[in-house]
Amino acid sequence: MGSRTLSIGASLDSPDGHFERNHSENGSMVSLKFHEPNGVLDQGHQVSSPVRRDVNRSLSGVKFLENDDLDLEDGKLEKDRNKTVRSNKAVKIQNQALLSGLAYCLSSCSMILVNKFVLSGYDFNAGISLMLYQNFISVVIVSILSSMGLISREPLTWRLIKVWLPVNVIFVGMLLTSMFSLKYINVAMVTVLKNVTNVITAVGEMYLFKKHHDSRVWAALFLMIVSAVSGGITDLSFHAIGYSWQIVNCFLTASYSLTLRRVMDTAKQVTKSGNLNEFSMVLLNNTLSLPLGILLIFVFNEVDYLYTTPLLRRPDFWLVMTLSGFLGLAISFTSMWFLHQTGATTYSLVGSLNKIPLSVAGIVLFKVPTSLENSASIFFGLLAGVFFARAKMREKTQS
């Protein structure tokens, strides 16, 4: 697509340049012809001869007409070229938005399903080690891309680390509680219970940032609470430990979102460029999580489990583990790509719609026992998420 646009631009430019060059050469020849009778090339010398003035006036008229024709022709060609470029650009943007949206949906769904498979399918009881390995892969890949000059990132300084450390502690807690809950709860109920995060975030925004939401947003949040409670009551595979971890995860996720807004401004001030892009935040979060993750492995005594489990001697298990690490980083990249191609409102709406196929896939792939009441609660909760995204879009346009 790009090469075609480039070739069209080149073909349009070439005739214009050729025509201008010939026109200026012809003008020089005419000027020389009328100065030659004196035997000297008069440059810039005004001659008062009536005949010369008439001839010059005639030539100026001819030149004026020629320039008019040239401008008209250039205008026509420029108009056609702009029309072609706009058309190609529109198709390119639409393709980029569609491609980035599909990549984001695919990577986010795959990440949750692969994590569920590692924790439940393989019965892997070391969620901290899984998080640590995934974050290590992200650090390695981002560092390689940065050293190759493909992405730009801020250098990690002690001032930046001290500012970012409280956010990183919440980030690690958010990841770990998500791992722990996913081991005990089916994917569909996890997606519904995550809606509680929106309720906590909305209340936090109201008290911390004095932000007021309209009635549609509060109605959607109420529907989310109802769906979460009814889904838990009708869940045939209810697990108290898993639900407890998920409630803690909702509070940590909301805290991460609210704290990030405050810390971002301070973090930008201590960087060299005065900015902190998404790649820098990905590297910062994952790098700082490594020492904290190693500490937690010893605190929760996962070392003994890792020594005794036969899973670490299976190549297929390492393949799935590594795939989960790549998918974790892919979510960061595809979400940034999709957000850049569309916008925050479309991003949030697609994220809510994305939960529907994810929930269906989780029920089908892992053969989750369910009932009509529980399925209705899950579907009701997913629709409440979509309704919430649309209410936020409407709220944003009105404000």
Side-chain angles (χ1 to χ4, degrees), residues 89-150:
K89 187 177 181 181
V91 173
K92 184 177 180 181
I93 290 175
Q94 290 176 0
N95 290 340
Q96 288 281 331
L98 179 62
L99 186 61
S100 60
L102 290 175
Y104 166 68
C105 293
L106 182 62
S107 60
S108 60
C109 288
S110 301
M111 177 67 180
I112 296 176
L113 294 174
V114 170
N115 277 345
K116 178 66 176 177
F117 182 67
V118 171
L119 296 168
S120 299
Y122 281 104
D123 197 21
F124 187 61
N125 295 318
I128 303 174
S129 301
L130 177 60
M131 179 213 69
L132 184 66
Y133 184 67
Q134 291 174 348
N135 292 357
F136 174 73
I137 291 176
S138 297
V139 170
V140 171
I141 295 175
V142 172
S143 300
I144 292 174
L145 294 177
S146 176
S147 63
M148 295 173 63
L150 298 177

Side-chain angles (χ1 to χ4, degrees), residues 127-140 156 160-161 164-176 179 256 280-298 302 329 332:
I128 303 174
S129 301
L130 177 60
M131 179 213 69
L132 184 66
Y133 184 67
Q134 291 174 348
N135 292 357
F136 174 73
I137 291 176
S138 297
V139 170
V140 171
L156 302 183
L160 182 59
I161 290 174
W164 200 264
L165 193 57
V167 182
N168 185 255
V169 173
I170 302 175
F171 172 75
V172 172
M174 181 181 68
L175 293 182
L176 291 181
M179 294 279 190
Y256 179 74
S280 301
M281 286 190 287
V282 168
L283 184 64
L284 191 60
N285 266 331
N286 288 283
T287 302
L288 294 180
S289 68
L290 297 182
L292 186 58
I294 294 173
L295 177 64
L296 291 174
I297 285 176
F298 287 96
E302 284 190 0
L329 187 60
S332 301

